[in-house]
Amino acid sequence: MKDKPNSCPRCSVALRAIDIDGIVVEFCGVCRGGFTSQDTLDQLLGHGLDGAEQGPTGLGDMDECVSCGAPVIRNEHPQSTWFSCAACDGAWLEAGVLARVHGERSSGPPTRKTPSVGPTASTISANPEPAVPPAPSPAPGPRRSLGHPVTELLASGSDDEADLMSSRLPFDLPLVQYLSLPAAAVLGLLAGVAQLAWPPVFFAQLWFHEVGHAVPAWLSSRAALPLPFGFTFWREESSWFTGLCVLFLIGVFGVTSFREKRYYGVVASAVLLGFWAYQTLVLEPYASIGWILFGGLAGELVLTTLAIVSFYYRGPDRMRWDFWRFIVLVPAMSAFVTSFAMWVRIDQGTQGLPLGSIIGAPGDGTGDIERMLAGYAWTAETLTTAYRSIGTLCVTIIVVHYVFFAIRARAGAAAS
């Protein structure tokens, strides 16, 4: 018996067991697909499966089994399409197939009626019984519940959001994939670069800046506290206790992502683990302080890009990233385009370096730029080149993600 239910390959929702005339199907409340064993597939579909044509899955199809993660095979039948797994003998049915099967099995086979033209010898009885009038149709009333909310949702076929109270927002809706990033970029340009909504953009940029200081501090096993109004406090000395706490959090995120097959989270955890090992075990303390200083302005580019491209990837289910990604996208995009536009202007010579700090004037030595210029081997030109190059790389990563997932969404829509 599995410890946890399977998850929908389309929506990452935990599947729920429903009973369709004695046949158990694990059902998704969002896309209304279902998972069952191939032993019961013939009973469920109600016709032979020998005529099905098998072929490899394509772009937009499933590529892994819901239960065991092994590769699946697409099966095309004149009446149905499903994905089968040879490793665990499982089968996934798409929403349209499952809804049609439920409707056919609920209504039952049609009965043939022979038109009557009059009494015959075989129908005349010596003692005919009086005809029983048909029962009156019940008055219309509220729809009767089918006893299970998921079964009722499957039978009704309703798309009402009220029926999806416990569902998750799907990640493969074509319209969302096409419009989300361009819309966020336009809003970011208007709000940040054109300064139509400068205060909230400045607050978002400041928050990413301070977290940008804190991340290299944490990865170098230093306690750090980023505050959203322009301050980040960190300890000058590293601590093994802090390092073990950071390792524990990275491990929890990585293990949870692996169990739920969120490979983006697994990769992110591995990258963070590598940075932790380098900054804690290899890098000299003085150099790691330099990366903490560098990380503030870098965080406005790197962390915002991470938040933007994470829009396309599922996180662990308990994080509810499917919802929060919409809340994070616009502030992250606004902070990114504002910061990158600043470095473009600095590189072109139309703006100077951002000297000073939130409380210090330029030239007092308290700003990040001034401390890097005074205490490390940075110059104004090398800093400008470094941040501009990071911003250009981040733009490339964002554009590549947008194009890839837009094509993928289009292919998935065409396949379905």
Side-chain angles (χ1 to χ4, degrees), residues 355-378:
L355 303 176
S357 64
I358 195 71
I359 59 172
D364 64 358
T366 60
D368 299 335
I369 295 288
E370 295 169 341
R371 294 177 66 181
M372 285 188 286
L373 293 176
Y376 296 86
W378 290 103

Side-chain angles (χ1 to χ4, degrees), residues 57-93:
T57 57
L59 191 63
D61 286 339
M62 286 179 54
D63 53 1
E64 293 183 352
C65 175
V66 173
S67 180
C68 67
V72 295
I73 299 175
R74 183 183 180 94
N75 300 269
E76 292 284 353
H77 192 274
Q79 300 182 27
S80 307
T81 299
W82 70 95
F83 300 91
S84 60
C85 174
C88 70
D89 203 42
W92 174 266
L93 288 82

Side-chain angles (χ1 to χ4, degrees), residues 302-344:
V302 177
L303 295 182
T304 52
T305 299
L306 180 64
I308 292 167
V309 300
S310 297
F311 179 85
Y312 293 108
Y313 297 99
R314 298 177 175 92
D317 187 64
R318 291 181 180 274
M319 291 177 58
R320 285 310 309 268
W321 180 239
D322 61 314
F323 167 77
W324 289 109
R325 62 191 179 123
F326 291 97
I327 308 300
V328 172
L329 180 61
V330 174
M333 183 67 79
S334 301
F336 174 80
V337 298
T338 302
S339 181
F340 183 62
M342 178 188 71
W343 287 109
V344 171

Side-chain angles (χ1 to χ4, degrees), residues 86-307:
C88 70
D89 203 42
W92 174 266
L93 288 82
E94 297 287 14
V97 177
L98 194 58
R100 177 180 58 78
V101 168
H102 185 278
E104 290 176 354
R105 298 181 70 89
S106 299
S107 59
T111 57
R112 298 186 59 185
K113 295 183 179 180
T114 303
S116 177
V117 294
T120 63
S122 61
T123 60
I124 299 176
S125 172
N127 298 309
E129 297 181 359
V132 179
S137 300
R143 186 178 65 182
R144 181 177 61 87
S145 173
L146 298 177
H148 193 290
V150 179
T151 309
E152 184 174 8
L153 176 62
L154 175 62
S156 66
S158 171
D159 289 327
D160 189 353
E161 289 294 327
D163 290 333
L164 304 178
M165 292 294 290
S166 61
S167 69
R168 298 291 188 262
L169 298 174
F171 275 72
D172 54 357
L173 293 178
L175 194 62
V176 173
Q177 306 291 64
Y178 298 154
L179 299 181
S180 295
L181 256 65
V186 171
L187 291 175
L189 289 170
L190 294 175
V193 179
Q195 297 190 355
L196 297 182
W198 176 245
V201 174
F202 176 74
F203 178 82
Q205 192 175 6
L206 193 63
W207 178 243
F208 280 106
H209 182 101
E210 300 308 324
V211 176
H213 283 309
V215 168
W218 292 328
L219 293 178
S220 61
S221 300
R222 288 178 170 85
L225 177 63
L227 300 176
F229 43 80
F231 293 97
T232 297
F233 300 98
W234 68 79
R235 295 183 62 89
E236 295 294 327
E237 303 82 13
S238 60
S239 165
W240 280 109
F241 175 77
T242 303
L244 292 176
C245 290
V246 172
L247 275 182
F248 174 76
L249 294 175
I250 294 175
V252 168
F253 181 72
V255 171
T256 304
S257 299
F258 179 77
R259 286 180 175 176
E260 299 185 14
K261 299 179 182 179
R262 307 293 188 259
Y263 299 120
Y264 176 70
V266 175
V267 172
S269 300
V271 172
L272 290 174
L273 182 60
F275 274 109
W276 178 91
Y278 174 73
Q279 292 194 243
T280 299
L281 305 177
V282 178
L283 207 60
E284 293 294 333
Y286 182 75
S288 63
I289 292 293
W291 283 112
I292 295 174
L293 295 173
F294 185 85
L297 291 166
E300 299 177 18
L301 300 169
V302 177
L303 295 182
T304 52
T305 299
L306 180 64

